[in-house]
Amino acid sequence: GDSVTQMEGPVTLSEEAFLTINCTYTATGYPSLFWYVQYPGEGLQLLLKATKADDKGSNKGFEATYRKETTSFHLEKGSVQVSDSAVYFCALSEPNTGNQFYFGTGTSLTVIP
Amino acid sequence: GAVVSQHPSWVICKSGTSVKIECRSLDFQATTMFWYRQFPKQSLMLMATSNEGSKATYEQGVEKDKFLINHASLTLSTLTVTSAHPEDSSFYICSATQGLAGVYNEQFFGPGTRLTVL
């Protein structure tokens, strides 16, 4: 079945450091891939997405490229800020599973000044 | 993007009472809505998939008599936690999608409802 494996945290970085959060997936079809962010006490917000191989999703300085050959969708940001402190979830969804989402376990990021 | 609201955003109730949580799609028709449960510092666990006008499909291990889901219209789904107990305390999140078959459907998430059962 479909699944998402995400780098375990927590991750603690200094401000302006480079961020990578690894995400790999297993899917039976042609999934869309997502990164969601959850700030403390809030629901999930879509950060970025990619719907087909080689697509790059980007938003707020974050990027992730849909790599079919390595079944990966790693999240990167060149210079993190304190305001980026949150939990990040990698997820996939594909039409032949009724658009059900499969989430990774989440990676907590803390950015210190 | 489309907006999904949840009400209430937080609720505290006594053990043994029932609590209803509403999930609304504000500016689109949601053929399919999903209900998730999130435990502290953990990922989202899909509880059930709700299609408008039909019975919800529950994931294995989720008690359908405990968590009643009603998707009576294209913009509203409700989750009722019946006879709530402290172990039901959690963050409940809904999401909604147009649910068009065979194509990519973006899923929009509500802000979540924090339930605390005393």
Side-chain angles (χ1 to χ4, degrees), chain B residues 96-114:
Chain B
T97 177
Q98 286 188 293
L100 302 177
V103 296
Y104 164 65
N105 285 265
E106 183 152 357
Q107 198 165 127
F108 302 97
F109 286 81
T113 297
R114 183 161 303 284

Side-chain angles (χ1 to χ4, degrees), chain A residues 10-59:
Chain A
V11 174
T12 302
L13 294 173
S14 298
E15 206 165 20
E16 299 184 359
F18 184 85
L19 169 71
T20 299
I21 301 177
N22 290 337
C23 172
T24 57
Y25 68 90
T26 301
T28 55
Y30 301 94
S32 297
L33 301 174
F34 307 82
W35 277 100
Y36 282 85
V37 58
Q38 185 178 34
Y39 297 101
E42 299 183 13
L44 271 68
Q45 299 177 28
L46 178 64
L47 180 60
L48 53 84
K49 67 186 181 190
T51 57
K52 62 183 187 296
D54 299 325
D55 270 2
K56 176 186 284 188
S58 62
N59 186 27

Side-chain angles (χ1 to χ4, degrees), chain B residues 36-106:
Chain B
Y36 297 85
R37 182 173 179 177
Q38 185 180 29
F39 293 98
K41 302 186 186 300
Q42 295 188 28
S43 187
L44 281 73
M45 179 192 79
L46 179 65
M47 299 174 66
T49 301
S50 166
N51 290 297
E52 186 267 339
S54 62
K55 290 184 179 180
T57 301
Y58 290 81
E59 295 298 302
Q60 191 172 8
V62 178
E63 300 176 60
K64 60 182 180 181
D65 294 331
K66 172 78 171 174
F67 299 99
L68 301 179
I69 292 172
N70 187 319
H71 192 163
S73 78
L74 286 171
T75 59
L76 174 64
S77 176
T78 60
L79 167 68
T80 301
V81 183
T82 62
S83 187
H85 288 92
E87 58 265 30
D88 299 323
S89 299
S90 193
F91 196 50
Y92 292 88
I93 301 173
C94 75
S95 69
T97 177
Q98 286 188 293
L100 302 177
V103 296
Y104 164 65
N105 285 265
E106 183 152 357

Side-chain angles (χ1 to χ4, degrees), chain A:
Chain A
D2 292 9
S3 67
V4 175
T5 301
Q6 188 174 341
M7 181 176 104
E8 288 191 19
V11 174
T12 302
L13 294 173
S14 298
E15 206 165 20
E16 299 184 359
F18 184 85
L19 169 71
T20 299
I21 301 177
N22 290 337
C23 172
T24 57
Y25 68 90
T26 301
T28 55
Y30 301 94
S32 297
L33 301 174
F34 307 82
W35 277 100
Y36 282 85
V37 58
Q38 185 178 34
Y39 297 101
E42 299 183 13
L44 271 68
Q45 299 177 28
L46 178 64
L47 180 60
L48 53 84
K49 67 186 181 190
T51 57
K52 62 183 187 296
D54 299 325
D55 270 2
K56 176 186 284 188
S58 62
N59 186 27
K60 299 180 181 180
F62 290 89
E63 292 184 340
T65 301
Y66 188 142
R67 302 283 188 202
K68 189 176 180 182
E69 63 275 15
T70 54
T71 61
S72 65
F73 193 55
H74 304 322
L75 181 68
E76 296 182 337
K77 186 174 185 181
S79 176
V80 293
Q81 305 300 313
V82 173
S83 57
D84 294 326
S85 298
V87 180
Y88 293 82
F89 292 93
C90 184
L92 73 80
S93 173
E94 54 179 334
N96 65 358
T97 59
N99 295 291
Q100 178 177 331
F101 267 57
Y102 298 87
F103 285 90
T105 52
T107 302
S108 175
L109 170 67
T110 301
V111 180
I112 55 177

